[in-house]
Amino acid sequence: MRKQTRTWAALGIISVLAVTGAGCAVGTGGAGDDDAEYDPDADVSGSMSVMGFSGVDEVATSRLDYAEEQLGEVEVSLSEGELDLQQFLSAVATGEPPDVVYANRDQIGSLAARGAVIPLDRCIDGEGIPTDEYVEAALAQVTLDGTVYGIPEFNSVQLTMANADLLSGAGLTVEDVNGSDWDAMSAANEALSVAEGGDIQVIGFDSKLPEFLPLWAKANGVDLISEDGKTAQLDDPAVVEALEWAVSIYEAQGGFSAVKAYRDSADFFGEGNQFATSVLGAMPMEQWYVNVLNDVSPDAPMAFDTVRNREGETLAYASGSAWAIPSGSANPEAACRFARAMTSTDAWQAAAEARLEAREGEGKPFTGILTGNATADEMVREMTTSGGEPWDTAVAKMYEANDATFSLPANPADAEFKTAMFDAVNAVLDGKSTPQEALTTAQEEAQSALDEAWSELEAEE
């Protein structure tokens, strides 16, 4: 029987730092050969265990129902809770892994390098998974050294979200905070922020460090890692400049710790959220928050735009989830069929119809779903319903952002790379280091990890 247990994993929210220490290609036993027979017309049978995913809402359960129909008599069991990387790696090492695993896309490179998940070329070809229909940045994030190791599912992108009343009161527009002019954003931050007696009353702008350093670096014209995933670029002058600017946004408001403490006190998912209560001017935020805001505070004075680079062009840092088949899976044929079904256009249509019905029942608009499948995205977009302004603009900007995504490429040391990056940003935010010093150290650590991991991986080929 299928277990349905509440978990954030179903929303694709898995900590990017959970794989710390799991980056190098050692200790899990290796992926071995994939001798399964994949055929979309063949019957699959037996049982299949799923780790890291549990159905919690209509978007999840409708797709699970569709996938189970495609699996026929296969008995599907879902583990409880989100993915525990150490538990998963231990299961692979002991020869008792789940049959399919649901992971963050930025975990796939490390898992592949460790031999914990198998290449999916034969699965993709045999089941006829149309990878040419998937979002390019999402597929690139699960492709290590030219080989695909995961089938992308949800996709997340950022939008500029702002309080229109606060902007208007300061003589500003959303264009002043969308990233296209950093000097204008710094000025807007100071115009919007309010403090009394040293205590923050209104956050002007939140640059969302440390997680959005890749976004600001890209806006400044540089990637944090080379396209082939082999060369760290953390100490590039453009990255240093991006970090200096993003940190200055907090310094102008009394420091990161003060801003973070105040933003953490907000009712982020409730009707007392920071936009509804006019205690935040603007910030970049993942698109799913549009639905949260519309649901709990539909009358909030919102303004939306994409995030833009310094030339005024739209960009978004893509992230999301993926399905992978563990080394030693007892039923890889069913696992491959399941991954195809869960990410198919038909499954996303079922999910969109279920979400649309739920929203209509509540008298609220359907603001769309970003799936990782570009063909499905086009279909779902046609199903969205109007909520009036500013919500219709938010939906339009979401799809505009989804057409302008980038991601960090898969690499065998992705966990160590992210740890080095986050440690550097946090050292600066804590006042322990300058951006240049912190990123110089991070560059050395990240490059050393990349060199070692790639060397080990290439030695095994």
Side-chain angles (χ1 to χ4, degrees):
M1 297 293 293
R2 187 178 73 218
K3 302 175 186 176
Q4 296 184 9
T5 305
R6 184 175 181 84
T7 171
W8 290 113
L11 301 178
I13 304 175
I14 304 172
S15 170
V16 297
L17 295 181
V19 291
T20 300
C24 295
V26 292
T28 58
D33 295 327
D34 177 17
D35 57 0
E37 295 293 333
Y38 302 107
D39 181 348
D41 297 321
D43 291 333
V44 288
S45 60
S47 61
M48 188 193 72
S49 58
V50 182
M51 179 178 283
F53 183 96
S54 298
V56 297
D57 62 13
E58 67 277 359
V59 173
T61 56
S62 58
R63 290 184 301 119
L64 282 169
D65 289 343
Y66 174 80
E68 288 188 334
E69 290 176 4
Q70 302 304 302
L71 290 170
E73 299 301 317
V74 175
E75 182 180 350
V76 178
S77 61
L78 306 182
S79 63
E80 298 183 1
E82 64 186 45
L83 181 63
D84 182 321
L85 262 295
Q86 293 306 319
Q87 179 184 7
F88 170 64
L89 291 173
S90 295
V92 173
T94 57
E96 297 181 353
D99 295 300
V100 64
V101 64
Y102 187 65
N104 230 29
R105 292 201 299 261
D106 61 8
Q107 296 170 329
I108 297 297
S110 288
L111 294 176
R114 291 179 67 94
V117 295
I118 66 173
L120 296 183
D121 292 345
R122 295 185 64 250
C123 160
I124 290 168
D125 291 342
E127 276 287 335
I129 300 176
T131 53
D132 59 336
E133 296 181 359
Y134 287 68
V135 175
E136 184 176 351
L139 192 63
Q141 206 171 13
V142 295
T143 303
L144 179 65
D145 202 21
T147 299
V148 177
Y149 287 88
I151 305 300
E153 201 189 64
F154 287 103
N155 205 38
S156 289
V157 299
Q158 301 78 34
L159 298 178
T160 297
M161 304 186 187
N163 182 299
D165 287 352
L166 291 178
L167 290 177
S168 178
L172 302 168
T173 69
V174 71
E175 285 76 18
D176 293 305
V177 292
N178 67 5
S180 57
D181 185 333
W182 287 4
D183 290 336
M185 291 178 73
S186 295
N189 177 52
E190 297 197 28
L192 292 165
S193 60
V194 176
E196 294 181 2
D199 295 328
I200 295 175
Q201 303 297 312
V202 177
I203 297 171
F205 184 79
D206 188 349
S207 52
K208 297 296 291 293
L209 292 179
E211 61 266 35
F212 283 174
L213 178 61
L215 183 68
W216 299 124
K218 187 70 170 180
N220 207 27
V222 65
D223 292 298
L224 298 184
I225 189 171
S226 61
E227 186 176 357
D228 62 6
K230 295 185 177 182
T231 304
Q233 298 171 165
L234 291 169
D235 62 349
D236 187 289
V239 180
V240 176
E241 182 183 22
L243 181 55
E244 288 174 342
W245 172 78
V247 170
S248 75
I249 291 294
Y250 295 121
E251 292 175 341
Q253 302 180 81
F256 175 73
S257 60
V259 174
K260 184 177 187 300
Y262 192 62
R263 79 183 186 192
D264 288 351
S265 68
D267 181 19
F268 193 79
F269 291 99
E271 60 184 11
N273 63 77
Q274 61 273 37
F275 287 123
T277 55
S278 295
V279 296
L280 171 64
M283 68 176 178
M285 183 63 195
E286 284 85 356
Q287 88 288 342
W288 52 261
Y289 196 51
V290 171
N291 192 58
V292 173
L293 292 172
N294 179 264
D295 190 39
V296 300
S297 53
D299 296 324
M302 297 302 302
F304 297 98
D305 196 3
T306 59
V307 176
R308 299 177 184 273
N309 65 20
R310 300 183 77 176
E311 283 71 50
E313 300 167 335
T314 292
L315 81 162
Y317 175 36
S319 61
S321 47
W323 293 102
I325 300 178
S327 173
S329 168
N331 200 344
E333 295 91 349
C336 183
R337 178 79 51 87
F338 182 81
R340 173 175 66 83
M342 286 291 288
T343 62
S344 68
T345 302
D346 287 342
W348 288 119
Q349 180 174 351
E353 289 173 349
R355 173 59 57 84
L356 175 60
E357 180 180 357
R359 297 294 287 177
E360 287 181 338
E362 298 171 348
K364 298 175 180 178
F366 171 44
T367 57
I369 305 168
L370 294 185
T371 74
N373 180 327
T375 299
D377 285 339
E378 293 176 7
M379 175 202 63
V380 174
R381 183 176 187 177
E382 295 298 318
M383 299 173 65
T384 59
T385 57
S386 175
E389 291 298 338
W391 309 107
D392 291 353
T393 291
V395 172
K397 295 299 182 180
M398 176 183 80
Y399 283 103
E400 180 182 339
N402 201 44
D403 289 335
T405 55
F406 74 97
S407 63
L408 300 184
N411 67 81
D414 49 19
E416 291 87 347
F417 181 90
K418 286 185 177 296
T419 296
M421 176 184 71
F422 282 123
D423 284 351
V425 177
N426 286 325
V428 178
L429 293 173
D430 293 339
K432 298 177 181 178
S433 183
T434 67
Q436 182 66 70
E437 293 169 343
L439 290 172
T440 296
T441 298
Q443 173 69 20
E444 295 172 355
E445 294 174 352
Q447 192 59 55
S448 177
L450 286 169
D451 289 344
E452 180 181 356
W454 277 108
S455 178
E456 292 185 14
L457 186 64
E458 291 166 356
E460 295 178 357
E461 295 178 350

